[in-house]
Amino acid sequence: MPDAMTAPGDRIIIALDFPELAPALDLAERLASHTGMLKVGLELFNSAGPAAIESLRLQGARVFYDAKLHDIPNTVAGAAAAAGRLGVSMLNVHALGGRAVMEAAKEGALRGAEESGLPPPLVIGVTILTSLGDRDLRDDLGLAGTAGDAAIRLASLAKQSGMDGVVCSVHEVSDVKQTCGADFLAVTPGIRPGWAGSDDQTRIATPKQAVAQGADYLVIGRPITRADDPAQALADVIREMSEP
Ligand code: C5P
C-alpha cells in the first residue's frame, strides 16, 4: 500500500459509471476529498472521452482509468502511453492478454507519463471479472479450475510481467498476497455493504471483509453513487471499514 495512505477513505476508489460527464463531475466534487481515487471506466470514457480524465484532474482528483486494455502489445502500448500522458494515477490491462501485453502496457504507461513530466502511474492486471463465477469459467469459457484458481494463476503472471498489482475479488486477496508478496497491490471491486443489493456482481464482500483480507484499494460504485445520499453512504462505508 502506498506510504501516503493514512485515512481509511484513502483506500476507496469511487467508480464514476455515468453516461455523461456532468453528474460524474458533480459527484466527484462532493466525494473526492474523502476518497483515494476516482475511477473513469468504459461507460464514462466512451461518453465523454479524455475530457473526463482531464476534468477530474483539474478538480484535483487522482484518477484510475479502468481501461481494461485487451489487444495486441503494440496497440496496448500506444493506448497506455496516451493514458500516461493524460496523467492517470492508475491504469489497468487484462492479464488474459498475456505477458507481452502486460509488459507493453507498463512500458507505454511509463513512457507516456514521462513525456508529460508526470509521475509514473500504477499499472494493474485484471484477473477474472468479479461478475464471473466458477460455472461461467467451466461451462462457457473452458478455463481450468475455479474462478479463484484462475485469478491466482493470472496474478502470478501479472507479477512476473511487471504489474504493480491486480484487480481481484476480496476472496482472492490473501492468496494473491501469499503468491505475489505483500507489496503487490490488491484492488478489489465487488464490494457490497450489508445494506446494498448485489446487482450483477457475483464474488462480493463487505468493506469490512475487504479490509480484514488486506485489500489495498476498494472499488465501489453503485452502493455509493446510486444511494439517495452518496456522501452519507460513503461515510457509512468508511465507518464500517474502521470498526474493530
Ligand atoms: O457498481 P459496482 O460497485 O459494482 O462497480 C464496480 C466497478 O468496478 C465497476 O466500474 C466495474 O466496471 C469495475 N470492475 C469490476 N470487476 C472487475 C474489474 C472492474 O466490477 N474485475
Side-chain angles (χ1 to χ4, degrees):
M1 193 184 306
D3 293 342
M5 285 197 174
T6 45
D10 291 346
R11 292 193 195 190
I12 295 182
I13 300 176
I14 300 286
L16 295 174
D17 293 322
F18 289 98
E20 52 194 22
L21 191 50
L25 291 182
D26 178 53
L27 200 62
E29 210 164 84
R30 285 189 280 160
L31 303 182
S33 59
H34 304 289
T35 61
M37 280 185 229
L38 301 174
K39 182 170 87 67
V40 174
L42 296 176
E43 183 177 8
L44 185 56
F45 195 85
N46 284 291
S47 304
I53 294 171
E54 288 160 347
S55 310
L56 291 167
R57 293 240 309 131
L58 277 175
Q59 285 189 0
R62 298 179 75 221
V63 177
F64 169 20
Y65 177 26
D66 188 7
K68 295 200 180 71
L69 300 172
H70 199 166
D71 207 318
I72 58 170
N74 185 60
T75 306
V76 164
R85 283 192 290 271
L86 284 173
V88 302
S89 297
M90 185 184 278
L91 171 73
N92 63 8
V93 49
H94 271 289
L96 277 166
R99 190 186 303 266
V101 165
M102 286 189 276
E103 288 172 352
K106 177 91 177 195
E107 180 279 321
L110 298 196
R111 175 164 45 85
E114 199 180 338
E115 282 168 13
S116 290
L118 295 165
L122 296 166
V123 186
I124 304 290
V126 179
T127 57
I128 298 290
L129 296 173
T130 44
S131 56
L132 291 172
D134 294 345
R135 185 178 300 200
D136 301 304
L137 262 69
R138 190 187 61 225
D139 297 348
D140 292 345
L141 302 179
L143 293 180
T146 63
D149 295 337
I152 303 308
R153 231 173 25 237
L154 290 167
S156 180
L157 178 64
K159 166 88 178 174
Q160 292 167 35
S161 309
M163 297 293 93
D164 297 296
V166 283
V167 180
C168 63
S169 102
V170 167
H171 307 288
E172 288 130 25
V173 172
S174 64
D175 284 345
V176 165
K177 296 276 183 183
Q178 213 161 20
T179 307
C180 303
D183 291 344
F184 194 64
L185 298 173
V187 179
T188 59
I191 304 293
R192 288 295 177 270
W195 37 265
S198 64
D199 302 307
D200 59 348
Q201 298 283 16
T202 301
R203 298 180 352 263
I204 59 175
T206 65
K208 199 170 171 174
Q209 286 168 331
V211 171
Q213 291 299 311
D216 298 287
Y217 289 100
L218 284 63
V219 178
I220 313 180
R222 289 161 289 183
I224 290 173
T225 59
R226 301 293 190 263
D228 290 338
D229 184 345
Q232 185 58 51
L234 174 60
D236 290 344
V237 167
I238 290 174
R239 186 171 20 79
E240 183 183 327
M241 289 170 68
S242 320
E243 278 168 5

